[in-house]
């Protein structure tokens, strides 16, 4: 399938029947059943990624890559991307999709958010990952490990109510958080049922994203 992100068209393979993945997971309790779904927040975040003024030679890690749309947008914007997911099939799919879009050397990493990772990146990207409050602390722990000291973590969120809990937890642990809407305009409070881009850093940030 072809997805238009801003002025760019992205070629994307997706599972033919994502509902079958959900049914399989319900029967077997095997893995993450949601990786095969192309969530709306990923498209909105990808458009934001293409608009941002990235610095040369920056590296990025996409957490929970699924089919890899956000990471592909980052690659098209000039970043060197590593796609990661808990599900090996998702990582394989993201790498194939990256190759379809002119990124044949893209890396993949099977990564459990609850475990440690020794690699570090300039930018961490994640889309629609705040749906379960029990994963908020593991996400914060992992981001602290994989993001360089002056790096930035961007999260695309569709306006889930759990986002406020995540923001409070991040603030308590010393993260500096700025919120933006889909047009990259700063907003004060987290939204409900509307896309928002969370920008997290460990150092003071301005009102300009990235």
């Amino acid at each position: 399938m072809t997805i238009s992100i801003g002025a760019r068209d992205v070629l994307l393979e997706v599972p033919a029947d994502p509902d079958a993945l959900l049914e399989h997971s319900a029967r077997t309790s095997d893995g993450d059943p949601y990786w095969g779904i192309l969530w709306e927040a990923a498209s909105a975040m990808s458009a934001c990624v293409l608009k941002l003024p990235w610095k040369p030679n920056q590296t990025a890690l996409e957490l929970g890559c699924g089919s890899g749309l956000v990471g592909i947008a980052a690659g098209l914007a000039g970043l060197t991307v590593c796609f990661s997911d808990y599900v090996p099939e998702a990582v394989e799919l993201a790498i194939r999709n990256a190759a379809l879009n002119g990124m044949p050397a893209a890396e993949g990493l099977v990564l459990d958010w609850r475990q440690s990772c020794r690699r570090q990146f300039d930018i961490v990207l994640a889309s629609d990952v705040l749906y379960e409050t029990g994963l908020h602390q593991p996400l914060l722990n992992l981001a602290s490990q994989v993001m360089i000291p002056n790096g930035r973590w961007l999260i695309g969120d569709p306006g889930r109510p759990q986002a406020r809990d995540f923001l409070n937890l991040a603030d308590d642990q010393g993260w500096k958080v700025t919120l933006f809407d889909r047009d990259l305009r700063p907003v004060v409070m987290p939204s409900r049922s509307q896309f928002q881009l969370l920008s997290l850093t460990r150092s003071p940030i301005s009102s300009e994203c990235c």
Side-chain angles (χ1 to χ4, degrees):
M1 64 187 297
T2 301
I3 299 176
S4 295
I5 304 295
R8 304 294 295 265
D9 287 336
V10 176
L11 298 175
L12 210 64
E13 291 183 11
V14 296
D17 188 0
D19 288 339
L21 296 176
L22 295 175
E23 294 172 1
H24 173 75
S25 179
R27 292 194 308 269
T28 63
S29 299
D30 182 24
D32 181 352
Y34 303 113
W35 68 269
I37 299 174
L38 184 58
W39 299 99
E40 183 179 353
S43 296
M45 184 175 179
S46 296
C48 290
V49 167
L50 285 176
K51 295 176 185 176
L52 292 171
W54 302 106
K55 297 176 182 178
N57 304 315
Q58 285 187 300
T59 59
L61 173 69
E62 183 181 4
L63 299 176
C65 65
S67 57
L69 180 59
V70 172
I72 290 170
L76 294 175
L79 282 73
T80 300
V81 182
C82 179
F83 297 87
S84 75
D85 203 289
Y86 178 74
V87 180
E89 291 84 356
V91 177
E92 294 169 3
L93 178 61
I95 291 174
R96 290 202 306 272
N97 282 331
L100 287 175
N101 291 277
M103 302 165 58
E107 288 187 89
L109 180 65
V110 177
L111 183 61
D112 186 336
W113 300 343
R114 294 159 295 190
Q115 297 180 353
S116 61
C117 179
R118 294 184 178 181
R119 296 189 59 182
Q120 288 195 315
F121 301 83
D122 301 303
I123 305 294
V124 179
L125 303 169
S127 177
D128 208 343
V129 295
L130 305 181
Y131 51 88
E132 186 176 324
T133 56
L135 293 174
H136 291 177
Q137 188 61 63
L139 274 169
L140 289 166
N141 293 343
L142 180 63
S144 296
Q145 296 175 24
V146 300
M147 192 179 74
I148 65 170
N150 294 321
R152 190 173 297 265
W153 182 15
L154 297 179
I155 302 175
D157 181 77
R160 294 185 184 273
Q162 295 92 330
R164 186 181 294 272
D165 296 328
F166 175 81
L167 290 172
N168 290 336
L169 183 62
D171 182 68
D172 289 343
Q173 297 181 18
W175 291 86
K176 305 297 182 181
V177 185
T178 308
L179 298 174
F180 301 87
D181 64 16
R182 64 175 59 242
D183 296 314
L184 297 178
R185 296 174 299 201
V187 295
V188 177
M189 298 294 292
S191 303
R192 290 289 295 269
S193 303
Q194 293 185 17
F195 175 82
Q196 55 201 346
L197 186 70
L198 286 61
S199 176
L200 294 91
T201 182
R202 286 295 197 176
S203 59
I205 56 177
S206 70
S207 61
E208 296 182 358
C209 185
C210 304

